[in-house]
Amino acid sequence: MTRYIFITGGVSSSLGKGLASAALGALLQARGYRVRLRKFDPYLNVDPGTMSPYQHGEVYVTDDGAETDLDLGHYERFTGVPARRSDSQTAGRVYSEVIQRERRGDYLGGTVQVIPHVTDVIKDAIQADHAGVDFLLCEIGGTVGDIEGLPFLEAIRQLANDLPRQHAVFVHLTLVPFVKAAGELKTKPTQHSVKELRSIGIQPDILLCRCERPIPESARRKIALFCNVRSEAVIPAVDVDTIYQVPVVYHEVGFDTEVLGAFGIAGAPTPDLSRWTDIVRRVREPDGEVSIAVVGKYTGLLDAYKSLAEALTHGGIANDVKVNLTWIDSEIFESEDAADHLHEIDGILVPGGFGERGTAGKIAAATFARERAVPYFGICFGMHMAVIEVARNLVGLDGASSTEFGPARHPVVGLMTEWLRGNQVERRGAGDNLGGTMRLGAYDCDLAPGSLVGAAYGAARISERHRHRYEININYRDQLEAQGLRFSGMSPDGLLPEIVELDGHPWFVGVQFHPELRSKPFAPHPLFASFVKAAIAKSRLV
Ligand code: GLN
């Protein structure tokens, strides 16, 4: 029977609860257990798809087309288990389910309440769709004490009682700050956080304490005493230099052993962590360096490009180099020359994005990359920019643009109103709701024989994840291909251009999908590996 690990957070947000959950998942997996990880977000949006990247960071898309929290990206990168729609829940989705049930008359005249109706929907969601899993790790978003989080905490409290003995364990992540003036680590915030948790009926089994320096034994004992946990269950989580070291250090301090102990499991196989030690070694001892510029819009908040930054690191791991990233706000190229910022760069990446602001700068970056033979990787919106660039400057189509920005004389990028998903026709219109109506999730793509991307993937058919409303307009294919912009990846029905690449350029590729979502440290994505390789070649030229 599946065992449940509930992970809550206290004291402060941004302590790395998602990463801690992912690392614990990886450790249990390294001991031979099957794991799934889930995220429960207390906000009222139905999903993060409609939120600004500045509010929420990246939107992580699953194969089955759900727009989810970026923590699901950590889970997938650390465990390799593909996330599904059922792995991401928000209060918005929970409440809309309750209201739908009420409208259908399912509650048979009863008064609909947070307990039990909302908590029942949460409990059902926790327990759904995890056949064959040994450990289900459920992370509750937000911080203990948030009003929105209460129904979720109540639901996990109830569920732990519904389950057989020793089938639920509570892990609470807190912060143990170092107060310089006192020269001491302070345990009081942790004490308060646990007090709050206990006041709603949850006694944590394990405390994971984030701190910037080692926690002395005396502080551990104090936390244990005041928080009513065993002192071995107070796990220090000291800052590390690379996130891929987290599973290794958590194991060293006994985190996974304590978790198994809390379930009453003794004598579990020791974990095989060679995969992680190998990655850490490659990250720490690279053979060289390359510099990649990411020219985007949300460069003020790096969480907006979480998977992208990780995938570039993986591209470095694949080539044994360190990838140094320079984040450039594309608007700067509207007043300054691109060459001033890009002349020492080995590769340029224009990531996904929405809306017209900053596009002139992205197009200027594509022009620079094309003319100077600098590797260029355009992802989704970055592909649109590359196609507009080539259409305007090589094909000579004045006014080539995307209808995302209004009517265009030459709509080389436009809204697709109908497309095939397998045998199903999916439709969208310009006036549709914004939430959940993009082309979302995994779609197959056929690669042209002899193409750069065909060689990089070493496959003829691939599957990648999408999240966009606009597509390259196939009616311009002949004109673009005549100038060397080859449509080297197409949807299996031949109607949707998925990849373009520029002949005669060392590496100029645009993809309609988001390859960064599939990259893993132990399985770097072929396009990121190939892009970084091209950047290395470029760096050796000068
Ligand atoms: N804004 C573009 C579209 O909706 C690109 C989206 C993206 O880059 N993910 O098609």
Side-chain angles (χ1 to χ4, degrees):
M1 190 182 170
T2 304
R3 292 178 166 88
Y4 295 77
I5 301 171
F6 298 113
I7 300 133
T8 56
V11 182
S12 155
S13 57
S14 302
L15 294 182
K17 198 157 24 105
L19 210 56
S21 308
L24 178 59
L27 283 175
L28 293 169
Q29 205 182 36
R31 289 181 185 257
Y33 295 110
R34 284 159 304 175
V35 300
R36 274 206 93 72
L37 288 111
R38 279 198 172 154
K39 178 83 192 273
F40 293 81
D41 276 306
Y43 50 71
L44 290 177
N45 303 64
V46 171
D47 62 41
T50 53
M51 276 191 241
S52 153
Y54 280 123
Q55 287 280 316
H56 188 268
E58 160 186 281
V59 173
Y60 190 77
V61 182
T62 58
D63 281 334
D64 58 2
E67 296 177 279
T68 73
D69 187 78
L70 58 79
D71 280 333
L72 271 78
H74 290 309
Y75 305 163
E76 237 192 89
R77 282 189 286 276
F78 274 71
T79 63
V81 177
R84 295 199 285 250
R85 184 177 295 274
S86 51
D87 297 327
S88 166
Q89 286 288 336
T90 67
R93 239 172 102 189
V94 169
Y95 280 102
S96 52
E97 172 66 32
V98 171
I99 289 165
Q100 269 175 34
R101 288 187 191 181
E102 187 273 335
R103 292 288 84 184
R104 274 203 309 262
D106 290 4
Y107 296 116
L108 300 172
T111 306
V112 182
Q113 295 179 296
V114 172
I115 305 172
H117 303 105
V118 170
T119 47
D120 277 353
V121 170
I122 298 172
K123 280 157 61 178
D124 288 349
I126 294 173
Q127 292 177 283
D129 188 28
H130 59 65
V133 167
D134 299 313
F135 289 100
L136 186 76
L137 290 80
C138 297
E139 177 189 347
I140 310 297
T143 309
V144 168
D146 297 344
I147 289 178
E148 297 92 333
L150 283 172
F152 290 91
L153 297 176
E154 169 61 15
I156 59 174
R157 182 196 69 74
Q158 291 176 18
L159 187 55
N161 279 342
D162 300 345
L163 292 165
R165 248 180 242 283
Q166 293 197 314
H167 273 70
V169 159
F170 293 98
V171 175
H172 188 56
L173 177 71
T174 73
L175 176 70
V176 178
F178 179 76
V179 176
K180 268 209 197 96
E184 256 184 347
L185 288 169
K186 290 294 180 189
T187 65
K188 195 65 92 188
T190 298
Q191 294 178 39
H192 275 293
S193 178
V194 173
K195 195 171 163 204
E196 182 83 32
L197 202 55
R198 292 175 70 198
S199 75
I200 44 183
I202 296 176
Q203 167 62 55
D205 299 288
I206 293 162
L207 296 177
L208 190 59
C209 300
R210 282 298 303 273
C211 48
E212 49 182 75
R213 54 185 72 197
I215 304 182
E217 198 42 47
S218 58
R220 258 180 104 175
R221 274 204 303 273
K222 190 168 170 188
I223 294 172
L225 182 65
F226 282 91
C227 298
N228 192 32
V229 297
R230 302 158 60 250
S231 118
E232 306 81 66
V234 178
I235 308 286
V238 181
D239 296 353
V240 289
D241 58 347
T242 152
I243 57 169
Y244 300 120
Q245 209 203 344
V246 174
V248 181
V249 294
Y250 278 6
H251 177 65
E252 281 166 7
V253 292
F255 185 29
D256 50 330
T257 311
E258 269 308 307
V259 169
L260 291 171
F263 282 112
I265 300 173
T270 41
D272 175 7
L273 297 180
S274 51
R275 168 191 260 194
W276 297 103
T277 44
D278 179 50
I279 290 165
V280 171
R281 187 189 48 73
R282 281 159 173 260
V283 169
R284 288 207 181 132
E285 299 160 23
D287 276 348
E289 301 190 8
V290 283
S291 58
I292 305 282
V294 179
V295 180
K297 184 154 88 175
Y298 313 109
T299 47
L301 178 74
L302 296 187
D303 263 2
Y305 300 115
K306 194 87 218 159
S307 295
L308 186 75
E310 291 301 315
L312 284 162
T313 304
H314 306 161
I317 291 174
N319 289 286
D320 280 315
V321 294
K322 177 167 191 290
V323 176
N324 296 316
L325 296 179
T326 307
W327 301 90
I328 302 179
D329 181 345
S330 62
E331 277 186 294
I332 199 154
F333 297 143
E334 285 160 28
S335 53
E336 295 174 30
D337 193 355
D340 294 344
H341 293 268
L342 297 174
H343 67 279
E344 283 180 342
I345 292 292
D346 306 315
I348 297 170
L349 192 151
V350 177
F354 293 84
E356 191 165 15
R357 186 168 61 80
T359 50
K362 293 179 190 178
I363 294 169
T367 309
F368 178 89
R370 180 175 58 75
E371 290 179 348
R372 310 280 184 105
V374 178
Y376 177 89
F377 196 177
I379 293 182
C380 204
F381 202 64
M383 174 208 211
H384 297 177
M385 297 300 110
V387 169
I388 293 170
E389 197 281 326
V390 170
R392 285 183 191 170
N393 301 329
L394 283 184
V395 184
L397 297 175
D398 250 5
S401 188
S402 166
T403 57
E404 183 171 353
F405 320 134
R409 182 135 51 94
H410 287 291
V412 290
V413 182
L415 188 73
M416 271 291 293
T417 52
E418 228 176 73
W419 68 93
L420 274 185
R421 175 163 208 165
N423 294 323
Q424 291 284 102
V425 180
E426 302 214 358
R427 294 195 172 82
R428 71 162 96 86
D432 285 356
N433 276 350
L434 287 183
T437 56
M438 289 190 252
R439 178 146 82 101
L440 288 167
Y443 284 83
D444 284 349
C445 162
D446 287 338
L447 305 179
S451 59
L452 185 156
V453 288
Y457 277 98
R461 175 167 287 187
I462 56 159
S463 166
E464 293 281 5
R465 295 181 194 169
H466 291 246
R467 179 175 185 252
H468 55 100
R469 230 170 237 109
Y470 297 85
E471 315 268 351
I472 306 303
N473 185 342
I474 192 148
N475 298 324
Y476 288 92
R477 179 174 188 164
D478 291 346
Q479 279 166 286
L480 290 161
E481 289 204 324
Q483 296 304 319
L485 192 70
R486 193 137 64 101
F487 285 36
S488 55
M490 296 294 294
S491 59
D493 63 7
L495 294 177
L496 297 175
E498 305 280 35
I499 307 179
V500 294
E501 61 183 66
L502 192 62
D503 283 341
H505 187 287
W507 212 98
F508 190 97
V509 175
V511 295
Q512 184 58 80
F513 43 80
H514 288 276
E516 70 274 23
L517 303 177
R518 282 254 177 100
S519 190
K520 321 255 178 330
F522 41 82
H525 190 285
L527 288 182
F528 282 91
S530 169
F531 174 58
V532 170
K533 192 172 177 196
I536 297 169
K538 153 82 178 57
S539 75
R540 295 196 175 137
L541 280 181
V542 280

Coordinates of all heavy atoms in Angstrom, one line a residue, residues 241-298:
D241 N 26.6 24.4 -2.9 CA 26.9 25.2 -4.1 C 26.2 24.7 -5.4 O 26.0 25.5 -6.3 CB 28.4 25.3 -4.3 CG 29.1 23.9 -4.5 OD1 28.4 22.9 -4.2 OD2 30.2 23.8 -4.9
T242 N 25.8 23.5 -5.5 CA 25.0 23.1 -6.6 C 23.8 22.3 -6.1 O 23.9 21.4 -5.2 CB 25.8 22.3 -7.7 OG1 24.9 21.4 -8.4 CG2 26.9 21.5 -7.1
I243 N 22.6 22.5 -6.8 CA 21.4 21.8 -6.3 C 21.5 20.3 -6.4 O 20.8 19.6 -5.7 CB 20.1 22.3 -7.0 CG1 20.2 22.2 -8.5 CG2 19.8 23.8 -6.6 CD1 18.9 22.4 -9.2
Y244 N 22.4 19.8 -7.3 CA 22.4 18.4 -7.6 C 23.2 17.7 -6.4 O 23.3 16.5 -6.4 CB 23.1 18.1 -8.9 CG 22.2 18.7 -10.0 CD1 22.7 19.7 -10.9 CD2 20.8 18.4 -10.1 CE1 21.8 20.3 -11.8 CE2 20.0 19.0 -11.0 CZ 20.5 19.9 -11.9 OH 19.7 20.5 -12.8
Q245 N 23.7 18.5 -5.5 CA 24.4 17.9 -4.4 C 23.4 17.6 -3.2 O 23.7 16.9 -2.3 CB 25.5 18.9 -3.9 CG 26.6 18.2 -3.2 CD 27.4 19.1 -2.3 OE1 27.2 20.3 -2.3 NE2 28.1 18.5 -1.4
V246 N 22.2 18.2 -3.4 CA 21.2 18.1 -2.3 C 20.9 16.6 -1.9 O 21.0 16.3 -0.7 CB 20.0 18.9 -2.6 CG1 18.9 18.7 -1.5 CG2 20.3 20.4 -2.7
P247 N 20.6 15.8 -2.9 CA 20.3 14.4 -2.4 C 21.5 13.8 -1.6 O 21.3 13.1 -0.6 CB 20.1 13.6 -3.8 CG 19.8 14.7 -4.7 CD 20.5 15.9 -4.3
V248 N 22.7 14.1 -2.1 CA 23.9 13.5 -1.4 C 24.0 14.0 0.0 O 24.2 13.2 0.9 CB 25.2 13.8 -2.2 CG1 26.4 13.2 -1.6 CG2 25.1 13.3 -3.7
V249 N 23.9 15.3 0.2 CA 24.1 15.8 1.6 C 22.9 15.4 2.5 O 23.1 15.2 3.6 CB 24.3 17.3 1.6 CG1 25.6 17.7 1.0 CG2 23.2 18.1 1.1
Y250 N 21.7 15.4 1.9 CA 20.6 14.9 2.7 C 20.8 13.5 3.2 O 20.4 13.2 4.3 CB 19.3 15.0 1.9 CG 18.6 16.4 1.9 CD1 19.3 17.5 2.4 CD2 17.4 16.6 1.3 CE1 18.7 18.8 2.3 CE2 16.8 17.8 1.2 CZ 17.5 18.9 1.7 OH 16.9 20.2 1.7
H251 N 21.3 12.7 2.3 CA 21.6 11.3 2.8 C 22.6 11.3 3.9 O 22.5 10.6 4.9 CB 22.0 10.4 1.6 CG 22.3 9.0 2.0 ND1 21.3 8.2 2.5 CD2 23.5 8.4 2.0 CE1 21.9 7.0 2.8 NE2 23.2 7.1 2.5
E252 N 23.7 12.1 3.7 CA 24.7 12.1 4.7 C 24.2 12.5 6.1 O 24.7 12.0 7.1 CB 25.8 13.1 4.3 CG 26.8 12.5 3.2 CD 27.7 13.5 2.5 OE1 27.6 14.7 3.0 OE2 28.3 13.2 1.6
V253 N 23.3 13.4 6.1 CA 22.7 13.8 7.4 C 21.6 13.0 7.9 O 20.9 13.3 8.9 CB 22.4 15.3 7.5 CG1 23.6 16.2 7.4 CG2 21.4 15.7 6.4
G254 N 21.3 11.9 7.1 CA 20.3 10.9 7.6 C 18.8 11.2 7.3 O 18.0 10.6 7.9
F255 N 18.6 12.1 6.4 CA 17.2 12.5 6.1 C 16.3 11.3 5.7 O 15.3 11.0 6.3 CB 17.2 13.6 5.1 CG 15.8 14.2 4.8 CD1 14.8 14.2 5.7 CD2 15.5 14.7 3.5 CE1 13.6 14.8 5.4 CE2 14.3 15.3 3.2 CZ 13.3 15.3 4.2
D256 N 16.8 10.6 4.7 CA 16.0 9.5 4.2 C 15.9 8.4 5.2 O 14.8 7.7 5.3 CB 16.5 9.0 2.8 CG 18.0 8.7 2.8 OD1 18.7 9.4 3.5 OD2 18.4 7.8 2.1
T257 N 16.9 8.1 5.9 CA 16.9 7.1 7.0 C 15.9 7.4 8.0 O 15.1 6.6 8.5 CB 18.3 7.0 7.6 OG1 19.3 6.9 6.6 CG2 18.4 5.7 8.5
E258 N 15.8 8.7 8.4 CA 14.8 9.2 9.4 C 13.4 9.0 8.9 O 12.5 8.6 9.6 CB 15.0 10.6 9.8 CG 15.9 10.9 11.0 CD 15.5 10.1 12.2 OE1 14.4 10.2 12.6 OE2 16.4 9.4 12.8
V259 N 13.2 9.3 7.6 CA 11.9 9.2 7.0 C 11.4 7.7 7.0 O 10.3 7.4 7.5 CB 11.8 9.8 5.6 CG1 10.5 9.4 4.8 CG2 12.0 11.3 5.6
L260 N 12.3 6.9 6.6 CA 12.0 5.4 6.6 C 11.7 5.0 8.0 O 10.8 4.2 8.3 CB 13.1 4.6 5.9 CG 13.2 4.8 4.4 CD1 14.5 4.2 3.9 CD2 12.0 4.3 3.7
G261 N 12.6 5.4 9.0 CA 12.4 5.1 10.4 C 11.0 5.5 10.9 O 10.4 4.8 11.6
A262 N 10.6 6.7 10.5 CA 9.3 7.2 10.9 C 8.1 6.3 10.4 O 7.1 6.2 11.0 CB 9.1 8.6 10.4
F263 N 8.4 5.6 9.3 CA 7.4 4.7 8.8 C 7.5 3.3 9.4 O 6.8 2.4 9.1 CB 7.5 4.5 7.3 CG 6.9 5.6 6.5 CD1 7.7 6.5 5.7 CD2 5.5 5.8 6.4 CE1 7.2 7.5 5.0 CE2 5.0 6.9 5.7 CZ 5.8 7.7 4.9
G264 N 8.6 3.1 10.3 CA 8.8 1.9 10.9 C 9.5 0.9 9.9 O 9.5 -0.3 10.1
I265 N 10.2 1.5 8.9 CA 10.9 0.6 7.9 C 12.4 0.6 8.3 O 13.0 1.6 8.3 CB 10.8 1.1 6.5 CG1 9.3 1.2 6.1 CG2 11.6 0.3 5.5 CD1 9.0 1.9 4.7
A266 N 12.8 -0.6 8.7 CA 14.3 -0.8 9.0 C 14.9 -1.7 7.9 O 14.2 -2.4 7.3 CB 14.4 -1.4 10.4
G267 N 16.2 -1.5 7.8 CA 16.9 -2.4 6.9 C 16.6 -2.2 5.4 O 16.7 -3.2 4.6
A268 N 16.2 -1.0 5.0 CA 16.0 -0.8 3.6 C 17.4 -0.8 2.9 O 18.4 -0.5 3.5 CB 15.3 0.6 3.4
P269 N 17.4 -1.1 1.6 CA 18.7 -1.1 0.9 C 19.3 0.3 0.9 O 18.6 1.3 0.9 CB 18.3 -1.5 -0.6 CG 16.8 -1.4 -0.7 CD 16.3 -1.5 0.7
T270 N 20.7 0.3 1.0 CA 21.3 1.6 1.0 C 21.2 2.2 -0.4 O 21.2 1.5 -1.4 CB 22.8 1.5 1.3 OG1 23.3 0.4 0.6 CG2 23.1 1.5 2.8
P271 N 21.0 3.5 -0.5 CA 20.8 4.1 -1.8 C 22.0 4.1 -2.7 O 23.1 4.3 -2.2 CB 20.3 5.5 -1.5 CG 20.9 5.8 -0.2 CD 21.0 4.5 0.6
D272 N 21.8 3.9 -4.0 CA 22.9 4.1 -4.9 C 22.9 5.5 -5.4 O 22.0 5.9 -6.2 CB 22.7 3.1 -6.1 CG 23.7 3.3 -7.2 OD1 24.7 4.1 -7.0 OD2 23.6 2.7 -8.3
L273 N 23.9 6.3 -4.9 CA 23.9 7.7 -5.3 C 24.9 8.1 -6.3 O 25.3 9.3 -6.5 CB 24.1 8.5 -4.0 CG 23.0 8.4 -2.9 CD1 23.3 9.3 -1.7 CD2 21.7 8.8 -3.5
S274 N 25.5 7.0 -7.0 CA 26.6 7.3 -8.0 C 26.2 8.3 -9.0 O 26.9 9.1 -9.5 CB 27.1 6.0 -8.6 OG 26.0 5.3 -9.1
R275 N 24.9 8.2 -9.5 CA 24.4 9.1 -10.5 C 24.5 10.6 -10.0 O 24.9 11.5 -10.8 CB 22.9 8.8 -10.6 CG 22.1 9.7 -11.4 CD 20.6 9.4 -11.2 NE 20.1 8.6 -12.3 CZ 18.8 8.4 -12.5 NH1 17.9 8.8 -11.7 NH2 18.4 7.7 -13.6
W276 N 24.3 10.8 -8.7 CA 24.3 12.2 -8.2 C 25.8 12.7 -8.0 O 26.1 13.8 -8.3 CB 23.5 12.3 -7.0 CG 22.1 12.1 -7.3 CD1 21.3 11.0 -7.0 CD2 21.2 12.9 -8.0 NE1 20.1 11.1 -7.5 CE2 19.9 12.3 -8.1 CE3 21.3 14.2 -8.6 CZ2 18.8 12.8 -8.8 CZ3 20.2 14.7 -9.3 CH2 19.0 14.1 -9.4
T277 N 26.6 11.7 -7.5 CA 28.0 12.1 -7.2 C 28.7 12.4 -8.6 O 29.5 13.3 -8.7 CB 28.8 11.1 -6.4 OG1 28.5 9.8 -7.0 CG2 28.4 11.1 -5.0
D278 N 28.3 11.6 -9.6 CA 28.9 11.9 -10.9 C 28.5 13.2 -11.5 O 29.3 14.0 -12.0 CB 28.4 10.8 -11.9 CG 29.0 10.9 -13.3 OD1 30.2 11.1 -13.4 OD2 28.2 10.9 -14.2
I279 N 27.2 13.6 -11.3 CA 26.8 14.9 -11.8 C 27.5 16.0 -11.0 O 28.0 17.0 -11.6 CB 25.2 15.0 -11.7 CG1 24.6 14.1 -12.7 CG2 24.8 16.5 -11.9 CD1 23.1 13.9 -12.4
V280 N 27.6 15.9 -9.7 CA 28.2 16.9 -8.9 C 29.7 17.1 -9.3 O 30.2 18.2 -9.5 CB 28.1 16.6 -7.4 CG1 29.0 17.5 -6.6 CG2 26.7 16.6 -6.9
R281 N 30.4 16.0 -9.6 CA 31.7 16.1 -10.0 C 31.8 16.8 -11.4 O 32.7 17.7 -11.6 CB 32.3 14.7 -10.2 CG 33.8 14.6 -10.5 CD 34.3 13.2 -10.8 NE 33.5 12.5 -11.8 CZ 33.5 12.8 -13.1 NH1 34.2 13.8 -13.6 NH2 32.7 12.1 -13.9
R282 N 31.0 16.5 -12.3 CA 31.0 17.2 -13.6 C 30.7 18.6 -13.5 O 31.3 19.5 -14.2 CB 30.0 16.5 -14.6 CG 30.4 15.3 -15.2 CD 29.2 14.5 -15.7 NE 29.6 13.3 -16.4 CZ 29.6 13.3 -17.7 NH1 29.3 14.3 -18.5 NH2 29.9 12.2 -18.3
V283 N 29.8 19.0 -12.6 CA 29.5 20.4 -12.4 C 30.6 21.2 -11.8 O 31.0 22.3 -12.1 CB 28.2 20.6 -11.5 CG1 28.0 22.0 -11.1 CG2 27.0 20.1 -12.3
R284 N 31.3 20.5 -10.8 CA 32.4 21.2 -10.1 C 33.7 21.2 -10.8 O 34.5 22.0 -10.6 CB 32.6 20.4 -8.7 CG 31.5 20.7 -7.8 CD 32.0 20.6 -6.4 NE 30.9 20.9 -5.4 CZ 30.6 20.1 -4.4 NH1 31.4 19.0 -4.2 NH2 29.7 20.4 -3.6
E285 N 33.9 20.2 -11.7 CA 35.2 20.1 -12.4 C 35.1 20.1 -13.9 O 35.4 19.1 -14.6 CB 36.0 18.8 -11.9 CG 36.3 18.7 -10.5 CD 36.5 17.3 -10.0 OE1 36.9 16.5 -10.9 OE2 36.3 17.0 -8.8
P286 N 34.6 21.2 -14.4 CA 34.4 21.3 -15.9 C 35.7 21.4 -16.6 O 36.7 21.8 -16.0 CB 33.6 22.6 -16.1 CG 33.9 23.4 -14.9 CD 34.2 22.5 -13.8
D287 N 35.7 21.1 -17.9 CA 37.0 21.2 -18.7 C 37.1 22.5 -19.3 O 38.1 22.8 -20.0 CB 36.9 20.1 -19.8 CG 37.4 18.8 -19.3 OD1 38.0 18.8 -18.2 OD2 37.2 17.8 -20.0
G288 N 36.1 23.4 -19.2 CA 36.2 24.7 -19.9 C 34.9 25.4 -19.6 O 34.1 25.0 -18.8
E289 N 34.7 26.6 -20.2 CA 33.6 27.4 -20.0 C 33.0 28.0 -21.3 O 33.8 28.2 -22.2 CB 33.9 28.6 -19.1 CG 34.5 28.2 -17.8 CD 34.6 29.4 -16.8 OE1 34.1 30.5 -17.1 OE2 35.2 29.2 -15.8
V290 N 31.7 28.2 -21.4 CA 31.2 28.9 -22.5 C 30.2 30.0 -21.9 O 29.7 29.8 -20.8 CB 30.4 28.1 -23.5 CG1 31.3 27.3 -24.4 CG2 29.4 27.2 -22.8
S291 N 30.0 31.0 -22.7 CA 29.0 32.0 -22.2 C 27.8 32.1 -23.2 O 28.0 32.2 -24.4 CB 29.7 33.4 -22.1 OG 30.2 33.8 -23.3
I292 N 26.7 32.0 -22.6 CA 25.4 32.0 -23.3 C 24.6 33.2 -22.8 O 24.5 33.4 -21.6 CB 24.6 30.7 -23.1 CG1 25.4 29.4 -23.3 CG2 23.3 30.7 -23.8 CD1 25.5 29.0 -24.8
A293 N 24.1 33.9 -23.8 CA 23.2 35.1 -23.4 C 21.7 34.6 -23.6 O 21.4 34.1 -24.7 CB 23.5 36.3 -24.3
V294 N 20.9 34.8 -22.6 CA 19.5 34.6 -22.7 C 18.9 36.0 -22.9 O 18.9 36.8 -22.0 CB 18.9 33.8 -21.5 CG1 17.4 33.6 -21.7 CG2 19.6 32.5 -21.3
V295 N 18.3 36.2 -24.0 CA 17.7 37.5 -24.3 C 16.2 37.4 -24.2 O 15.5 36.8 -25.1 CB 18.1 38.0 -25.8 CG1 17.5 39.3 -26.1 CG2 19.6 38.0 -25.9
G296 N 15.7 37.9 -23.1 CA 14.2 37.7 -22.8 C 13.6 38.9 -22.2 O 14.2 40.0 -22.2
K297 N 12.4 38.7 -21.6 CA 11.6 39.8 -21.1 C 11.6 39.7 -19.6 O 11.5 40.8 -18.9 CB 10.2 39.7 -21.7 CG 9.4 40.9 -21.2 CD 8.3 41.2 -22.2 CE 7.0 40.4 -22.0 NZ 5.9 40.8 -22.9
Y298 N 11.6 38.5 -19.0 CA 11.4 38.4 -17.6 C 12.7 38.2 -16.8 O 12.8 37.4 -15.9 CB 10.4 37.3 -17.3 CG 9.2 37.3 -18.1 CD1 9.0 36.4 -19.1 CD2 8.2 38.3 -18.0 CE1 7.8 36.4 -19.9 CE2 7.1 38.4 -18.7 CZ 6.9 37.4 -19.7 OH 5.8 37.4 -20.5

